[in-house]
Amino acid sequence: VKKTQQPVHVTITWPGPAKTLNGSGSRVQFNAAVTIRNRFGFRSLEGMGWRWKAEVDGKLVRDSGKDAMPVKLPPGKELCSGVEFDLAGGDLAGGKEAILTIQVVLIKSEPWAAVGHEVAWEQSAVPIAHEAVPAAPPPTDDCREMRVDVSDKEVVVTSGDVRATWCTERGGLATLSVGGKQLVGGSAEDVLRHNFWRAQTCNDNGGSDTLTRYGATEQQYPPECGFPTAHPRSAALIRYVVKWLHFWSDISYGGMWEKAGLDQLYPTQVDVKVLRRGVTDCGTEQWSAGPGVSVGLVKVET
């Protein structure tokens, strides 16, 4: 929101083609054209300034210094300037990215913010021509071969130096190793399972029950508000109203999901199969959140 509504618009352009650097000690100069436009309808940008910094892979390489350059733009007017710098000392190996950041900050305190407060900002990637990365070699025949071993307790899929194990009792990926290094799991208790629950958003919790679920009915006025001691708000009245709203099912989606037990789903039936073409099938599972509540999953091939 702060970015889209910022009252100062900044544009960064790069005249000329991308430049090639030779190692971290390169002294190649980059030139960026910077345009700053005052989007205010009535006030100038007096009391504000702009500064810049160049970073490589998040590490500062060059900047304009501590003090920002003043911007005294009338409403609706633009300022055109330039930035010249090099990236000497920046580690650009491996195609790392260099970023130029322009910031408009307060250089004079305002009632709503102190000196240094960022009012607007813009970023642009420095045009660097990296050496072409060689293409990965085509897969060998060993990589294309897939072996599937099925037992009563597990399904093991092996392809080259990749080995994956699915537990047929618990229904999930139990282990995954590449080149002999274990990446996932370690025992039958560590199988990866489906999880269909997500954190609730503000819109999910927009019902009246939010008042009680998140403690609004328990709030108190502190002594600083003029009471001799902590004074409860009109909690009793709120609880009474919310109670009847619940009775008439006026609750938020988040509350209904929790009442249905969707945050406590657990598997009750597991069926793991192997198709003829050698692809593991997650099979069909039945999930339950308690008596009378269940969710069936459609068979999915992976």
Side-chain angles (χ1 to χ4, degrees), residues 43-50 68-73 104-110 112-117 119:
R43 65 158 291 175
S44 71
L45 297 186
E46 187 173 356
M48 299 185 190
W50 71 284
M69 296 165 279
V71 183
K72 297 182 179 180
L73 277 178
V104 177
V105 299
L106 291 180
I107 58 176
K108 180 181 178 182
S109 295
E110 296 282 354
W112 44 271
V115 173
H117 174 78
V119 178

mmCIF file of all heavy atoms in Angstrom, residues 43-50 68-73 104-110 112-117 119:
data_model
loop_
_atom_site.group_PDB
_atom_site.id
_atom_site.type_symbol
_atom_site.label_atom_id
_atom_site.label_comp_id
_atom_site.label_asym_id
_atom_site.label_seq_id
_atom_site.Cartn_x
_atom_site.Cartn_y
_atom_site.Cartn_z
ATOM 1 N N ARG A 43 1.227 20.831 -2.169
ATOM 2 C CA ARG A 43 2.448 21.140 -1.431
ATOM 3 C C ARG A 43 3.683 20.791 -2.245
ATOM 4 O O ARG A 43 3.665 19.920 -3.123
ATOM 5 C CB ARG A 43 2.484 20.402 -0.097
ATOM 6 C CG ARG A 43 2.568 18.897 -0.178
ATOM 7 C CD ARG A 43 3.134 18.316 1.108
ATOM 8 N NE ARG A 43 4.550 18.650 1.257
ATOM 9 C CZ ARG A 43 5.272 18.340 2.346
ATOM 10 N NH1 ARG A 43 4.704 17.737 3.371
ATOM 11 N NH2 ARG A 43 6.549 18.657 2.419
ATOM 12 N N SER A 44 4.771 21.496 -1.946
ATOM 13 C CA SER A 44 6.048 21.218 -2.602
ATOM 14 C C SER A 44 6.777 20.117 -1.846
ATOM 15 O O SER A 44 6.307 19.642 -0.805
ATOM 16 C CB SER A 44 6.904 22.486 -2.630
ATOM 17 O OG SER A 44 7.365 22.780 -1.311
ATOM 18 N N LEU A 45 7.928 19.729 -2.383
ATOM 19 C CA LEU A 45 8.733 18.698 -1.726
ATOM 20 C C LEU A 45 9.829 19.304 -0.863
ATOM 21 O O LEU A 45 10.808 18.623 -0.528
ATOM 22 C CB LEU A 45 9.354 17.765 -2.772
ATOM 23 C CG LEU A 45 8.377 16.953 -3.619
ATOM 24 C CD1 LEU A 45 9.134 15.967 -4.495
ATOM 25 C CD2 LEU A 45 7.356 16.210 -2.758
ATOM 26 N N GLU A 46 9.659 20.556 -0.489
ATOM 27 C CA GLU A 46 10.634 21.184 0.404
ATOM 28 C C GLU A 46 10.654 20.439 1.734
ATOM 29 O O GLU A 46 9.622 20.084 2.288
ATOM 30 C CB GLU A 46 10.277 22.655 0.636
ATOM 31 C CG GLU A 46 11.339 23.404 1.413
ATOM 32 C CD GLU A 46 11.052 24.887 1.489
ATOM 33 O OE1 GLU A 46 10.063 25.336 0.875
ATOM 34 O OE2 GLU A 46 11.825 25.599 2.160
ATOM 35 N N GLY A 47 11.843 20.169 2.224
ATOM 36 C CA GLY A 47 11.986 19.358 3.431
ATOM 37 C C GLY A 47 12.245 17.899 3.126
ATOM 38 O O GLY A 47 12.382 17.086 4.037
ATOM 39 N N MET A 48 12.321 17.576 1.817
ATOM 40 C CA MET A 48 12.625 16.201 1.406
ATOM 41 C C MET A 48 13.897 16.195 0.572
ATOM 42 O O MET A 48 14.295 17.208 0.001
ATOM 43 C CB MET A 48 11.483 15.598 0.585
ATOM 44 C CG MET A 48 10.166 15.514 1.318
ATOM 45 S SD MET A 48 8.895 14.666 0.332
ATOM 46 C CE MET A 48 7.440 15.009 1.344
ATOM 47 N N GLY A 49 14.534 15.055 0.511
ATOM 48 C CA GLY A 49 15.739 14.893 -0.294
ATOM 49 C C GLY A 49 15.790 13.490 -0.864
ATOM 50 O O GLY A 49 15.023 12.612 -0.466
ATOM 51 N N TRP A 50 16.710 13.284 -1.809
ATOM 52 C CA TRP A 50 16.834 11.946 -2.404
ATOM 53 C C TRP A 50 18.285 11.469 -2.327
ATOM 54 O O TRP A 50 19.218 12.260 -2.280
ATOM 55 C CB TRP A 50 16.328 11.938 -3.844
ATOM 56 C CG TRP A 50 17.209 12.663 -4.843
ATOM 57 C CD1 TRP A 50 17.317 14.013 -5.007
ATOM 58 C CD2 TRP A 50 18.094 12.063 -5.790
ATOM 59 N NE1 TRP A 50 18.202 14.315 -6.005
ATOM 60 C CE2 TRP A 50 18.692 13.131 -6.514
ATOM 61 C CE3 TRP A 50 18.435 10.765 -6.115
ATOM 62 C CZ2 TRP A 50 19.619 12.907 -7.528
ATOM 63 C CZ3 TRP A 50 19.353 10.536 -7.131
ATOM 64 C CH2 TRP A 50 19.932 11.599 -7.824
ATOM 65 N N ALA A 68 21.079 13.328 2.245
ATOM 66 C CA ALA A 68 20.269 13.301 1.034
ATOM 67 C C ALA A 68 20.314 14.655 0.341
ATOM 68 O O ALA A 68 20.470 15.699 0.974
ATOM 69 C CB ALA A 68 18.820 12.936 1.385
ATOM 70 N N MET A 69 20.193 14.628 -0.990
ATOM 71 C CA MET A 69 20.210 15.847 -1.793
ATOM 72 C C MET A 69 18.824 16.473 -1.799
ATOM 73 O O MET A 69 17.841 15.802 -2.119
ATOM 74 C CB MET A 69 20.667 15.514 -3.212
ATOM 75 C CG MET A 69 22.100 14.990 -3.267
ATOM 76 S SD MET A 69 22.526 14.206 -4.834
ATOM 77 C CE MET A 69 21.814 12.567 -4.572
ATOM 78 N N PRO A 70 18.701 17.763 -1.441
ATOM 79 C CA PRO A 70 17.381 18.391 -1.329
ATOM 80 C C PRO A 70 16.600 18.363 -2.642
ATOM 81 O O PRO A 70 17.178 18.433 -3.726
ATOM 82 C CB PRO A 70 17.716 19.831 -0.927
ATOM 83 C CG PRO A 70 19.080 19.761 -0.334
ATOM 84 C CD PRO A 70 19.791 18.686 -1.082
ATOM 85 N N VAL A 71 15.270 18.255 -2.527
ATOM 86 C CA VAL A 71 14.360 18.287 -3.671
ATOM 87 C C VAL A 71 13.308 19.348 -3.386
ATOM 88 O O VAL A 71 12.447 19.158 -2.529
ATOM 89 C CB VAL A 71 13.675 16.922 -3.897
ATOM 90 C CG1 VAL A 71 12.795 16.989 -5.130
ATOM 91 C CG2 VAL A 71 14.698 15.818 -4.034
ATOM 92 N N LYS A 72 13.380 20.473 -4.104
ATOM 93 C CA LYS A 72 12.397 21.542 -3.903
ATOM 94 C C LYS A 72 11.523 21.635 -5.145
ATOM 95 O O LYS A 72 11.677 22.540 -5.973
ATOM 96 C CB LYS A 72 13.097 22.860 -3.609
ATOM 97 C CG LYS A 72 13.909 22.848 -2.317
ATOM 98 C CD LYS A 72 14.547 24.200 -2.049
ATOM 99 C CE LYS A 72 15.338 24.180 -0.741
ATOM 100 N NZ LYS A 72 15.965 25.491 -0.448
ATOM 101 N N LEU A 73 10.623 20.680 -5.265
ATOM 102 C CA LEU A 73 9.764 20.607 -6.442
ATOM 103 C C LEU A 73 8.380 21.151 -6.135
ATOM 104 O O LEU A 73 7.737 20.713 -5.179
ATOM 105 C CB LEU A 73 9.644 19.158 -6.916
ATOM 106 C CG LEU A 73 10.755 18.597 -7.794
ATOM 107 C CD1 LEU A 73 10.480 17.137 -8.111
ATOM 108 C CD2 LEU A 73 10.886 19.395 -9.073
ATOM 109 N N VAL A 104 13.547 8.663 -1.553
ATOM 110 C CA VAL A 104 13.176 10.029 -1.206
ATOM 111 C C VAL A 104 12.839 10.021 0.277
ATOM 112 O O VAL A 104 11.939 9.288 0.712
ATOM 113 C CB VAL A 104 11.981 10.521 -2.042
ATOM 114 C CG1 VAL A 104 11.576 11.925 -1.609
ATOM 115 C CG2 VAL A 104 12.329 10.507 -3.520
ATOM 116 N N VAL A 105 13.565 10.808 1.064
ATOM 117 C CA VAL A 105 13.432 10.771 2.523
ATOM 118 C C VAL A 105 13.236 12.185 3.059
ATOM 119 O O VAL A 105 13.486 13.183 2.367
ATOM 120 C CB VAL A 105 14.669 10.129 3.179
ATOM 121 C CG1 VAL A 105 14.842 8.700 2.718
ATOM 122 C CG2 VAL A 105 15.921 10.959 2.864
ATOM 123 N N LEU A 106 12.800 12.266 4.289
ATOM 124 C CA LEU A 106 12.654 13.548 4.958
ATOM 125 C C LEU A 106 14.025 14.042 5.422
ATOM 126 O O LEU A 106 14.786 13.289 6.037
ATOM 127 C CB LEU A 106 11.727 13.438 6.163
ATOM 128 C CG LEU A 106 10.241 13.183 5.904
ATOM 129 C CD1 LEU A 106 9.481 13.107 7.231
ATOM 130 C CD2 LEU A 106 9.644 14.270 5.021
ATOM 131 N N ILE A 107 14.340 15.305 5.117
ATOM 132 C CA ILE A 107 15.562 15.920 5.638
ATOM 133 C C ILE A 107 15.214 16.981 6.679
ATOM 134 O O ILE A 107 16.098 17.639 7.230
ATOM 135 C CB ILE A 107 16.396 16.543 4.503
ATOM 136 C CG1 ILE A 107 15.585 17.592 3.734
ATOM 137 C CG2 ILE A 107 16.897 15.464 3.560
ATOM 138 C CD1 ILE A 107 16.391 18.309 2.653
ATOM 139 N N LYS A 108 13.906 17.110 6.939
ATOM 140 C CA LYS A 108 13.408 18.004 7.970
ATOM 141 C C LYS A 108 12.250 17.320 8.675
ATOM 142 O O LYS A 108 11.376 16.739 8.027
ATOM 143 C CB LYS A 108 12.949 19.328 7.349
ATOM 144 C CG LYS A 108 12.410 20.334 8.347
ATOM 145 C CD LYS A 108 11.956 21.602 7.647
ATOM 146 C CE LYS A 108 11.374 22.597 8.646
ATOM 147 N NZ LYS A 108 10.880 23.825 7.963
ATOM 148 N N SER A 109 12.255 17.347 9.991
ATOM 149 C CA SER A 109 11.216 16.653 10.756
ATOM 150 C C SER A 109 9.827 17.209 10.439
ATOM 151 O O SER A 109 9.657 18.417 10.213
ATOM 152 C CB SER A 109 11.482 16.773 12.259
ATOM 153 O OG SER A 109 12.665 16.102 12.605
ATOM 154 N N GLU A 110 8.852 16.289 10.404
ATOM 155 C CA GLU A 110 7.446 16.638 10.229
ATOM 156 C C GLU A 110 6.683 16.173 11.465
ATOM 157 O O GLU A 110 7.171 15.309 12.210
ATOM 158 C CB GLU A 110 6.883 15.975 8.979
ATOM 159 C CG GLU A 110 7.502 16.429 7.672
ATOM 160 C CD GLU A 110 6.969 17.783 7.228
ATOM 161 O OE1 GLU A 110 6.043 18.305 7.882
ATOM 162 O OE2 GLU A 110 7.483 18.315 6.222
ATOM 163 N N TRP A 112 4.433 14.167 11.622
ATOM 164 C CA TRP A 112 4.066 12.756 11.472
ATOM 165 C C TRP A 112 5.258 11.819 11.280
ATOM 166 O O TRP A 112 5.094 10.603 11.248
ATOM 167 C CB TRP A 112 3.119 12.591 10.273
ATOM 168 C CG TRP A 112 3.531 13.364 9.045
ATOM 169 C CD1 TRP A 112 3.188 14.638 8.736
ATOM 170 C CD2 TRP A 112 4.383 12.907 7.997
ATOM 171 N NE1 TRP A 112 3.760 15.022 7.542
ATOM 172 C CE2 TRP A 112 4.493 13.973 7.063
ATOM 173 C CE3 TRP A 112 5.049 11.720 7.735
ATOM 174 C CZ2 TRP A 112 5.254 13.886 5.900
ATOM 175 C CZ3 TRP A 112 5.805 11.621 6.567
ATOM 176 C CH2 TRP A 112 5.899 12.695 5.676
ATOM 177 N N ALA A 113 6.482 12.350 11.155
ATOM 178 C CA ALA A 113 7.656 11.485 10.976
ATOM 179 C C ALA A 113 8.923 12.282 11.239
ATOM 180 O O ALA A 113 8.950 13.517 11.119
ATOM 181 C CB ALA A 113 7.685 10.895 9.569
ATOM 182 N N ALA A 114 9.999 11.568 11.592
ATOM 183 C CA ALA A 114 11.283 12.194 11.898
ATOM 184 C C ALA A 114 12.164 12.248 10.662
ATOM 185 O O ALA A 114 11.848 11.674 9.615
ATOM 186 C CB ALA A 114 11.977 11.415 13.017
ATOM 187 N N VAL A 115 13.293 12.918 10.798
ATOM 188 C CA VAL A 115 14.270 12.998 9.712
ATOM 189 C C VAL A 115 14.736 11.589 9.329
ATOM 190 O O VAL A 115 14.994 10.753 10.194
ATOM 191 C CB VAL A 115 15.482 13.856 10.140
ATOM 192 C CG1 VAL A 115 16.579 13.803 9.095
ATOM 193 C CG2 VAL A 115 15.034 15.293 10.372
ATOM 194 N N GLY A 116 14.837 11.342 8.037
ATOM 195 C CA GLY A 116 15.260 10.039 7.551
ATOM 196 C C GLY A 116 14.126 9.123 7.171
ATOM 197 O O GLY A 116 14.353 8.054 6.576
ATOM 198 N N HIS A 117 12.881 9.498 7.488
ATOM 199 C CA HIS A 117 11.730 8.669 7.130
ATOM 200 C C HIS A 117 11.626 8.549 5.607
ATOM 201 O O HIS A 117 11.710 9.536 4.880
ATOM 202 C CB HIS A 117 10.445 9.269 7.690
ATOM 203 C CG HIS A 117 9.200 8.553 7.239
ATOM 204 N ND1 HIS A 117 8.794 7.361 7.796
ATOM 205 C CD2 HIS A 117 8.283 8.870 6.274
ATOM 206 C CE1 HIS A 117 7.687 6.975 7.201
ATOM 207 N NE2 HIS A 117 7.355 7.857 6.279
ATOM 208 N N VAL A 119 9.879 8.377 2.246
ATOM 209 C CA VAL A 119 8.602 8.795 1.670
ATOM 210 C C VAL A 119 8.301 8.006 0.405
ATOM 211 O O VAL A 119 7.150 7.652 0.141
ATOM 212 C CB VAL A 119 8.620 10.307 1.377
ATOM 213 C CG1 VAL A 119 7.310 10.747 0.727
ATOM 214 C CG2 VAL A 119 8.864 11.096 2.654
#
